[in-house]
């Protein structure tokens, strides 16, 4: 039975975080300048790859990370840094038996994992506020020696038909022999950071743990530029330099006897590798804590920037005048926690029960902890730095050689801080929609950022992600901008205009580069759906033919509607947007008409398919019932009589002229009167086709799972689609969990699991149809059940299925935890929620990246926008 919750926060507490946000937005106080912007993995990333072959994982492996200086950013556990990452603060741990300090999370590289790269640790983001005045992070650290070698060897042994070998499978947590490590951060001011580390001994015996809060400077002085001098700090504790241990890694001579891993060697082996002169660029506070079974201990650390009232604005006082780490520290900690509770009590509707509230709050937390400082100057990356060896030639031919203009140096919402510690164009759009519910200004700034001149290519393309900026992601930026605008109160027309002007350029790039035949049927490649097709849609040889894609075509129809929507909103305040609104009205109708009239729509199957045009003149529909054929549903726009007519006479007259002279387009334009208001809808899928198409979608033995819409229909489990081209054969079947195909490195799977972003877009599309004629469009749901629901009710049920992935079921288990009893039932584990990249198509178990809260945080958006189940 669902449990209700009550608001209980005082008005002052409810306003505290909102006040800080307003001050940050107005530039009155730099509340966003310090945050959890430190990545959890910098090793194995493209930016750190200076190899000749582009093998990023091998060039900078995990084993090098403790000893080798990074070029572009830093990493650590539970880390904080300033917005331009000059200094970094994170947590180091040692259980007394591990061969290395635990300074960063361990995981497998792409080549090591049987299903792709994968973190092999357990940690969670439990809380965060938008200004990072309050943050909570938790980690379960084994007391036995960490099984690094076993995890590598066993996963290498297992094939793609076997599950990943996880840390919990090793038995290392048996008898509860682990530490529950919780880090709370609270801000006493914009540059007054309190770090509270609590270690709980979950095991049956007394145990000892070493806790090392670590502060260091990002190494910018080794690049060889005169404007990056070497800084220094003084601490009465272990200190060394953030410099590479060249002797250990490469057999050369060290430039300092106190290299980056000096603290590691000193703590573990007693080595003389910390500077006795008490200065350097890296330092750690070393606490050795012995804790009884079931007991806990804590470490309090305070990082203060100057000027600060406690230091009398005297920078030199930091070495002599103590800052309170007792009563004032705990008072501030308690206040920020209470204010965070109050902020989310106001943000999450009170009618949501405690479990939905928990899910939403942890989803927001993961999204906020995913904000990372991102630095990547492609030109310098290609050419090298004056203080470093010259990179091997030809690197630009491997990747990103045509993106020399790209120069990133900002805090960005990442998919996650470990597996995907880099921005991704379409991921970011989804991140911003969820973030807008709690920090609309930052969400708007992020959407604008990706369109700025140092991101967008001069030709108009948006950068996809660092592994290949030239890959093509679905154009969802316009949709995201509209949703953020609406969530923010529908008043920031300047934001809409800034977005619109740049999206015009990007739309033109699409039209000029991804419509090979100039017939309004588009290509685009993998379109972010990776291996959903039997063919690699990004690498099809011209000798074979070319592929016109149902999803690419539908994305472009949706894009035209998004720009029409923005233009109509702006035109009511500035008539100069009226004629461009007409342009997108007509452009949508031409794309939608082509999609419905061509081979993409299969009238017998009532589904949309990609079409392969072979060089011998043969046309082959790729008859896979997948999300590819559902994207056309999202190309909808419903608006009422308040837009157009008398306010926009030129647009209205031109629209009627166009429809009168193109009667074939009338099936794509619909009107209805609701309570005396004329509603209009443009839709690629006409209502009659919609109902037939949904008959396929809502089959529980097909696309409809208990936990949302599958990426590929379960019907293909027994009926795989097979295509033969020359001597080559390719196929798609239903794979509800990880993929067995090697397309895209074998580390992604759109061949059956449930993915949150396209499910959310489908839910929104159905709600658009509902707005046209409330209650009139009904569908059998599920197919074969005999039950009739309106399309809006069906949308709400899909939303609830998606949310249920994270909620306790009748047996008390959350589907996301899958078959792991410890994760699902242990009181210390079961309420710590992972937000995976995707979910098992039959069971809802979390799969892929375990911290991909980026777009999976959309579950919070669903909780806030779906009517309460009655």
């Amino acid at each position: 039975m669902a449990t209700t919750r009550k608001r209980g926060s005082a008005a002052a507490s409810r306003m505290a975080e909102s006040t800080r946000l307003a001050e940050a937005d107005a530039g009155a106080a730099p509340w966003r300048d310090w945050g959890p912007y430190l990545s959890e993995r910098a090793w194995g990333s493209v930016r750190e790859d200076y190899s000749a072959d582009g093998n990023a994982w091998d060039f900078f492996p995990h084993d090098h990370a403790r000893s080798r200086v990074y070029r572009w950013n830093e990493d650590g556990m539970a880390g904080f840094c300033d917005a331009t990452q000059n200094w970094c603060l994170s947590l180091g741990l040692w259980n007394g038996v591990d061969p290395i300090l635990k300074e960063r999370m361990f995981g497998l590289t792409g080549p090591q994992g049987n299903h792709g790269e994968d973190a092999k640790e357990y940690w969670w983001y439990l809380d965060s506020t938008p200004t990072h005045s309050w943050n909570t992070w938790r980690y379960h650290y084994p007391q036995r020696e960490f099984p690094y070698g076993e995890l590598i060897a066993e996963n290498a042994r297992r094939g793609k038909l076997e599950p990943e070998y996880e840390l919990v499978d090793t038995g290392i947590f048996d008898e509860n022999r682990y530490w529950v490590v919780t880090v709370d951060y609270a801000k006493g001011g914009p540059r007054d950071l309190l770090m509270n580390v609590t270690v709980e001994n979950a095991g049956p015996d007394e145990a000892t743990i070493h806790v090392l809060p670590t502060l260091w400077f990002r190494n910018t002085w080794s690049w060889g530029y005169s404007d990056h001098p070497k800084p220094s700090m003084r601490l009465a504790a272990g200190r060394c330099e953030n410099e590479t241990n060249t002797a250990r890694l490469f057999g050369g001579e060290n430039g300092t006897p106190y290299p980056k891993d000096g603290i590691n060697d000193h703590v573990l082996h007693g080595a003389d590798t910390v500077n006795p002169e008490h200065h350097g660029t890296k330092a750690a506070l070393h606490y050795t804590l012995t804790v009884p079974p079931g007991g806990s201990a804590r470490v309090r650390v305070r990082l203060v920037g100057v000027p600060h009232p406690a230091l009398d604005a005297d920078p030199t006082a930091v070495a002599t005048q103590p800052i309170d780490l007792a009563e004032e520290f705990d008072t501030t900690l308690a206040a920020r926690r209470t204010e965070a509770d109050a902020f989310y009590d106001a943000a999450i509707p009170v009618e949501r029960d405690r479990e939905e509230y928990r899910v939403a709050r942890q989803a927001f937390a993961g999204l906020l902890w995913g904000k990372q400082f991102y630095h990547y100057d492609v030109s310098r990356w290609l050419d090298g730095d004056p203080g470093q060896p010259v990179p091997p030639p030809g690197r630009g031919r491997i990747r990103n050689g045509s993106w020399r203009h790209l120069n990133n140096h900002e805090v960005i919402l990442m998919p996650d801080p470990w597996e995907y510690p880099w921005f991704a164009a379409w991921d970011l759009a989804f991140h911003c929609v969820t973030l807008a519910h709690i920090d609309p200004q930052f969400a708007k700034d992020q959407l604008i950022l990706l369109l700025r001149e140092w991101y967008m290519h001069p030709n108009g393309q948006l950068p996809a992600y660092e592994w290949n900026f030239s890959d093509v992601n679905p154009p969802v930026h316009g949709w995201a901008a509209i949703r953020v605008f609406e969530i923010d109160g529908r008043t920031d027309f300047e934001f809409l205009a800034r977005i619109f002007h740049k999206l015009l350029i990007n739309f033109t790039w699409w039209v000029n580069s991804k419509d090979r035949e100039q017939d309004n049927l588009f290509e685009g490649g993998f379109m972010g759906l990776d291996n959903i097709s039997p063919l690699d849609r990004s690498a099809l040889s011209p000798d074979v033919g070319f592929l016109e894609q149902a999803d690419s075509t539908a994305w472009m129809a949706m894009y035209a509607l998004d720009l029409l929507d923005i233009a109509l909103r702006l035109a009511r305040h500035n008539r100069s947007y009226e004629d461009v609104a007409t342009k997108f009205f007509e452009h949508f109708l031409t794309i939608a008409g082509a999609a419905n009239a061509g081979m993409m729509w299969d009238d017998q199957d009532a589904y949309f398919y990609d079409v392969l045009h072979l060089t011998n003149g043969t046309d082959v529909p790729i008859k896979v019932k997948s999300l590819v054929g559902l994207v056309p549903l999202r190309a909808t726009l419903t608006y009422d009589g308040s837009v157009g007519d008398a306010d926009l006479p030129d647009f209205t007259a031109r629209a009627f002229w166009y429809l009168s002279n193109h009667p074939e387009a009338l099936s794509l334009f619909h009107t209805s009167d609701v309570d005396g208001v004329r509603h209009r809808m443009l839709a690629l899928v006409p209502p009659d086709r919609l109902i037939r198409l949904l008959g396929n979608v809502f089959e529980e033995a097909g696309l409809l799972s208990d936990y949302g819409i599958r990426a590929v229909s379960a019907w293909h489990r027994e009926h795989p689609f097979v295509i033969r081209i020359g001597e080559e054969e390719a196929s798609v079947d239903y794979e509800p969990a990880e993929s067995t195909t090697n397309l895209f490195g074998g580390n992604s799977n759109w061949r059956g699991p449930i993915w949150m972003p396209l499910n959310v877009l489908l839910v929104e599309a159905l709600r658009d149809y509902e707005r046209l004629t409330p209650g009139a469009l009904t569908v059998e749901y599920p197919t074969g059940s005999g039950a009739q629901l309106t399309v809006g009710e069906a949308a709400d049920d899909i939303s609830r299925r998606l949310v249920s992935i994270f909620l306790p079921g009748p047996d008390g288990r959350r589907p996301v935890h899958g078959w792991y009893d410890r994760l699902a039932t242990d009181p210390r584990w079961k309420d710590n929620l992972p937000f995976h990249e995707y979910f098992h198509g039959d069971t809802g178990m979390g799969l892929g990246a375990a911290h991909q809260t980026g777009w999976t945080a959309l579950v919070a958006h669903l909780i806030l926008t779906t009517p309460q189940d009655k």
Side-chain angles (χ1 to χ4, degrees), residues 788-857:
Q788 289 287 320
L789 297 183
T790 68
V791 291
E793 290 169 335
D796 293 344
D797 187 73
I798 294 169
S799 178
R800 295 184 190 109
R801 291 181 187 225
L802 293 163
V803 174
S804 75
I805 291 171
F806 303 96
L807 300 176
D811 59 357
R813 299 171 69 106
R814 303 176 193 272
V816 65
H817 289 314
W819 59 66
Y820 288 106
D821 291 339
R822 181 177 293 277
L823 277 62
T825 63
D826 190 306
R828 287 192 177 95
W829 296 70
K830 64 186 181 68
D831 293 333
N832 302 332
L833 303 180
F835 293 87
H836 286 264
E837 188 178 6
Y838 50 90
F839 304 89
H840 194 288
D842 298 334
T843 69
M845 179 179 178
L847 302 166
H851 299 89
Q852 225 274 23
T853 325
W855 64 21
T856 300

Side-chain angles (χ1 to χ4, degrees), residues 92-317:
L93 300 168
W94 188 46
N95 56 15
V97 292
D98 276 356
I100 58 175
L101 283 182
K102 180 63 67 175
E103 298 177 283
R104 58 189 51 80
M105 296 303 178
F106 173 71
L108 303 182
T109 70
Q112 286 175 328
N114 59 325
H115 297 117
E117 69 268 18
D118 187 16
K120 297 299 180 187
E121 309 250 20
Y122 293 99
W123 76 100
W124 303 268
Y125 314 110
L126 298 186
D127 213 359
S128 181
T129 57
T131 64
H132 306 296
S133 60
W134 174 255
N135 302 263
T136 300
W137 175 96
R138 183 163 296 163
Y139 171 51
H140 288 179
Y141 180 41
Q143 294 175 357
R144 300 181 177 96
E145 182 176 338
F146 196 90
Y148 293 105
E150 179 183 349
L151 288 165
I152 294 172
E154 179 60 19
N155 276 289
R157 187 194 65 79
R158 294 190 178 193
K160 289 186 177 295
L161 297 180
E162 298 175 274
E164 292 273 1
Y165 187 60
E166 304 292 357
L167 182 60
V168 72
D169 294 322
T170 67
I172 201 165
F173 296 108
D174 290 355
E175 300 177 294
N176 291 332
R177 294 186 183 276
Y178 62 93
W179 296 96
V180 178
V181 181
T182 304
V183 179
D184 298 313
Y185 283 107
K187 288 184 180 179
R191 296 191 174 102
D192 180 2
L193 185 65
L194 286 63
M195 180 189 196
N196 186 72
V197 183
T198 304
V199 292
E200 177 196 354
N201 180 1
D205 301 317
E206 182 180 85
T208 297
I209 185 171
H210 298 253
V211 178
L212 296 101
T214 305
L215 179 69
W216 72 99
F217 293 113
R218 180 165 63 100
N219 189 326
T220 61
W221 56 90
S222 295
W223 306 344
Y225 300 101
S226 60
D227 58 344
H228 291 280
K230 185 175 182 177
S232 181
M233 69 176 80
R234 287 186 175 274
L235 283 176
R239 55 255 139 216
C240 61
E241 302 286 2
N242 186 18
E243 302 272 13
T244 297
N245 188 338
T246 306
R248 173 185 176 256
L249 296 177
F250 309 113
E253 291 188 8
N254 284 338
T256 173
Y258 317 114
K260 180 179 178 180
D261 54 7
I263 294 172
N264 176 92
D265 294 348
H266 179 75
V267 173
L268 270 67
H269 311 299
D272 188 18
T273 49
V274 295
N275 190 342
E277 296 182 3
H278 296 184
H279 67 82
T281 54
K282 181 179 179 182
L285 303 170
H286 183 193
Y287 300 88
T288 303
L289 307 175
T290 299
V291 184
S296 64
R298 68 180 181 132
V299 171
R300 292 178 287 193
V301 178
R302 193 164 185 174
L303 179 66
V304 179
V306 292
H308 187 276
L311 303 175
D312 296 326
D314 180 3
T316 64

Side-chain angles (χ1 to χ4, degrees), residues 733-746:
D733 60 1
Y734 172 65
E735 298 182 88
E738 282 94 349
S739 175
T740 60
T741 177
N742 286 319
L743 284 181
F744 293 92

Side-chain angles (χ1 to χ4, degrees), residues 400-685:
N400 298 337
S402 62
W403 289 82
R404 280 187 172 270
H405 76 284
L406 194 143
N407 187 354
N408 309 148
H409 194 270
E410 290 90 10
V411 172
I412 309 178
L413 286 164
M414 303 292 179
D416 82 81
W418 196 91
E419 286 197 275
Y420 304 112
W422 28 258
F423 73 87
W426 78 308
D427 298 56
L428 181 64
F430 294 109
H431 305 170
C432 290
V433 170
T434 301
L435 187 68
H437 289 284
I438 57 171
D439 192 354
Q441 187 59 52
F442 191 82
K444 290 185 288 187
D445 290 344
Q446 290 283 287
L447 290 173
I448 289 171
L449 177 65
L450 205 66
L451 299 173
R452 291 307 303 268
E453 301 73 41
W454 56 94
Y455 282 78
M456 178 186 279
H457 197 281
N459 65 17
Q461 184 178 9
L462 295 185
Y465 42 75
E466 67 177 27
W467 285 91
N468 184 359
F469 286 125
S470 294
D471 264 346
V472 182
N473 281 178
V476 293
H477 227 71
W479 164 81
I482 294 166
R483 290 296 170 267
V484 169
F485 172 81
E486 292 174 335
I487 293 167
D488 187 38
R490 303 171 184 255
T491 59
D492 194 347
F493 292 97
E494 180 182 351
F495 160 71
L496 274 189
R498 291 186 70 186
I499 288 283
F500 184 76
H501 296 154
K502 287 298 185 68
L503 290 183
L504 283 174
I505 302 170
N506 181 243
F507 185 89
T508 303
W509 173 84
W510 272 92
V511 171
N512 289 340
S513 63
K514 297 301 177 184
D515 182 4
R516 173 191 175 112
E517 301 297 302
Q518 295 294 298
D519 58 359
N520 292 295
L521 299 174
F522 288 83
E523 304 90 54
F526 86 119
M527 293 300 295
L529 305 187
D530 297 13
N531 59 359
I532 200 167
S533 171
L535 308 169
D536 185 340
R537 302 193 300 175
S538 292
L540 192 65
S541 170
D543 295 335
V544 172
F546 70 98
L547 197 67
E548 288 182 325
Q549 297 174 216
D551 54 343
S552 297
T553 301
W555 287 122
M556 284 301 290
M558 172 183 166
Y559 201 177
L561 288 179
D562 291 336
L563 294 180
L564 168 60
D565 191 352
I566 295 174
L568 289 173
R569 295 173 192 263
L570 293 172
R572 297 193 66 200
H573 298 268
N574 184 338
R575 290 283 300 277
S576 65
Y577 288 95
E578 194 170 358
D579 55 349
V580 78
T582 303
K583 175 264 188 298
F584 286 112
F585 178 87
E586 296 183 6
H587 206 138
F588 163 76
L589 292 173
T590 59
I591 296 172
N596 278 282
M599 294 182 62
M600 287 179 176
W601 171 255
D602 187 306
D603 198 59
Q604 181 175 348
D605 291 0
Y607 213 78
F608 287 92
Y609 299 122
D610 287 349
V611 179
L612 175 62
H613 300 284
L614 296 172
T615 53
N616 64 10
T618 305
D619 298 320
V620 182
I622 308 299
K623 291 195 171 188
V624 180
K625 285 189 171 64
S626 73
L627 290 176
V628 166
L630 294 188
V631 176
L633 289 181
R634 189 58 198 87
T636 61
L637 171 62
T638 302
Y639 59 96
D640 61 34
S642 65
V643 178
D645 298 352
D647 291 330
L648 302 174
D650 291 345
F651 169 77
T652 302
R654 177 66 187 178
F656 279 119
W657 181 92
Y658 187 89
L659 291 170
S660 298
N661 286 271
H662 297 273
E664 72 280 1
L666 287 171
S667 66
L668 307 173
F669 182 78
H670 312 275
T671 63
S672 69
D673 293 317
V674 181
D675 297 328
V677 176
R678 174 60 55 90
H679 284 240
R680 298 177 172 88
M681 181 176 75
L682 292 161
L684 189 153
V685 183

Side-chain angles (χ1 to χ4, degrees), residues 714-785:
W715 182 83
H716 289 294
R717 189 186 339 241
E718 304 298 331
H719 307 87
F721 174 81
V722 180
I723 183 172
R724 177 173 290 278
I725 302 174
E727 300 300 316
E728 301 294 324
E729 184 176 280
S731 66
V732 169
D733 60 1
Y734 172 65
E735 298 182 88
E738 282 94 349
S739 175
T740 60
T741 177
N742 286 319
L743 284 181
F744 293 92
N747 63 348
S748 62
N749 185 20
W750 288 79
R751 295 192 168 194
I754 295 149
W755 294 76
M756 193 67 67
L758 265 72
N759 269 266
V760 168
L761 291 176
L762 175 62
V763 165
E764 289 203 349
L766 294 178
R767 289 173 178 164
D768 262 344
Y769 283 98
E770 178 71 14
R771 277 191 287 272
L772 174 68
T773 52
L777 274 176
T778 63
V779 63
E780 189 177 28
Y781 183 93
T783 301
S785 68

